[in-house]
Amino acid sequence: MQEQSVARSSERQKRKAYSYNPLAQPFLKWAGGKRQLIPIIKKYIPRKYTQYYEPFVGAGAVLFSLQPAKKSIVINDTNSELINCYKTIRDNPEDLLNLCKQHESNNSKEYYYRLRGRDRQPGFEKLSSVERAARIIYLNKTCFNGLFRVNSQGQFNVPYGDYANPVVADPAVIKAVSTFLNQRSVTIDRGDFEDSVSKAKKGAFVYFDPPYHPISDTSSFTGYSINGFGEIEQKRLKSVCDELSDRGCHVLVSNSNAPFIRELYGDSRYEIVEVRASRSINSVGSKRGKIGELLIYNKYECKAF
């Protein structure tokens, strides 16, 4: 009994070793990022949950806003370069910062296109994880409008942004993110969203932020990954949400305010809430600003704010 008591005390102390750090925040610009919606999203988070899953983590705005104090945190994305950034920040933040600083000091249009072109040259796969992560972070912070987009061959193809004195990597942010990922023992996966939640148990909270269903024929943005996310994938996501609901998991989904999505989640187990989100990342200036989006959750008691 005494040994069990000591073990429980040690576990509590370990969890207390990390306190919420506002500097742990997104380290990339990201189309569809959720920073503007955080106060609203928090209203639909359960009071209690045992595990945290985010299968489409992106830049991690919700993850870093919550910084869940849970034994099990799992983040996932299909984007291999993005997941490499998370793992590199967790495992090797100092070397990453040093290389990002070099890129920042050499920043120019010519330097940008030379670095962007590395994934079109032989030997790209031999770059170290630090070299790959620093390259992606630099390209993201200096490309046009902060887009993350690849072509059908998986090659980064956003033009140069021509910003004055861009900050590529904030040391305080990178170190805070690294501390969070390590002290919370965050599992970082790359794979299919369905696989990533296969071990979610009753009481888990799963936040899905998939590529949005287009509200028009020209509005789709799935270029951050070479894998498209069309109607078939949206329907598969709904089926996964149903399965998680049957397991007793809490589910929250962000998506576009499209008739297809409203119809898809129109059954009685879900509530649909329309929200207005500010969007500053879009290749077309007229499409930036406040747009309608949906928050969809299975019916559980929500956190009061």
Side-chain angles (χ1 to χ4, degrees):
M1 288 293 292
Q2 185 176 1
E3 291 180 356
Q4 291 178 351
S5 177
V6 170
R8 286 195 296 268
S9 176
S10 176
E11 182 63 30
R12 283 196 298 269
Q13 291 299 322
K14 184 178 179 181
R15 291 200 296 270
K16 288 180 180 178
Y18 180 85
S19 58
Y20 186 92
N21 186 346
L23 289 173
Q25 56 187 263
F27 52 88
L28 293 172
K29 297 180 180 180
W30 204 256
K34 292 297 177 291
R35 282 192 180 189
Q36 299 293 329
L37 280 176
I38 292 299
I40 300 174
I41 288 173
K42 282 186 173 181
K43 295 179 181 179
Y44 300 96
I45 293 171
R47 283 191 172 91
K48 295 181 180 180
Y49 52 98
T50 56
Q51 301 170 293
Y52 179 81
Y53 286 84
E54 194 167 343
F56 302 91
V57 68
V62 173
L63 171 72
F64 296 128
S65 175
L66 296 178
Q67 296 182 35
K70 303 298 168 187
K71 291 182 180 179
S72 178
I73 302 173
V74 180
I75 61 175
N76 175 81
D77 206 282
T78 60
N79 189 313
S80 60
E81 295 301 316
L82 171 66
I83 291 303
N84 177 64
C85 286
Y86 277 100
K87 291 182 176 180
T88 301
I89 289 172
R90 180 192 63 191
D91 300 335
N92 212 341
E94 293 295 342
D95 287 349
L96 175 66
L97 284 168
N98 289 336
L99 190 49
C100 284
K101 191 67 177 177
Q102 290 182 34
H103 291 329
E104 185 179 299
S105 63
N106 289 316
N107 180 47
S108 68
K109 186 174 183 179
E110 292 72 24
Y111 185 81
Y112 174 90
Y113 281 111
R114 186 161 67 250
L115 203 61
R116 195 190 77 165
R118 291 291 297 274
D119 60 8
R120 294 154 173 81
Q121 299 169 357
F124 176 71
E125 67 281 356
K126 295 181 180 179
L127 292 180
S128 70
S129 59
V130 173
E131 290 172 323
R132 285 169 51 206
R135 171 181 174 270
I136 284 297
I137 293 172
Y138 165 72
L139 294 177
N140 174 260
K141 292 299 183 66
T142 56
C143 72
F144 177 73
N145 204 37
L147 287 170
F148 191 114
R149 186 183 67 202
V150 295
N151 61 22
S152 59
Q153 285 76 48
Q155 300 164 340
F156 196 91
N157 66 350
V158 185
Y160 184 58
D162 199 20
Y163 302 115
N165 303 315
V167 175
V168 172
D170 185 331
V173 169
I174 296 297
K175 292 176 182 178
V177 170
S178 182
T179 297
F180 166 71
L181 295 174
N182 279 287
Q183 293 193 359
R184 284 290 191 257
S185 299
V186 177
T187 299
I188 305 171
D189 290 334
R190 175 187 173 255
D192 183 75
F193 67 88
E194 185 172 359
D195 294 337
S196 74
V197 299
S198 61
K199 296 180 180 179
K201 300 176 181 179
K202 180 179 180 179
F205 171 48
V206 185
Y207 173 59
F208 289 107
D209 185 24
Y212 279 16
H213 186 74
I215 55 177
S216 68
D217 292 339
T218 59
S219 65
S220 179
F221 181 82
T222 56
Y224 88 106
S225 170
I226 59 175
N227 303 311
F229 204 89
E231 288 191 4
I232 292 176
E233 292 298 283
Q234 296 287 0
K235 290 178 180 178
R236 186 162 70 92
L237 173 58
K238 168 58 163 55
S239 295
V240 171
C241 290
D242 291 347
E243 182 184 340
L244 289 169
S245 296
D246 291 341
R247 265 188 248 173
C249 298
H250 308 292
V251 175
L252 178 64
V253 183
S254 294
N255 217 312
S256 64
N257 187 9
F260 171 76
I261 298 298
R262 284 186 173 274
E263 181 178 355
L264 188 61
Y265 290 89
D267 59 82
S268 59
R269 77 173 75 190
Y270 297 99
E271 292 284 355
I272 300 176
V273 180
E274 183 176 351
V275 297
R276 304 291 292 180
S278 296
R279 292 284 170 240
S280 59
I281 296 179
N282 195 298
S283 59
V284 181
S286 61
K287 294 183 180 179
R288 300 173 199 152
K290 285 192 176 292
I291 60 174
E293 299 188 8
L294 300 180
L295 288 176
I296 304 157
Y297 62 92
N298 57 353
K299 294 177 180 178
Y300 54 76
E301 190 176 4
C302 297
K303 196 169 186 176
F305 277 78

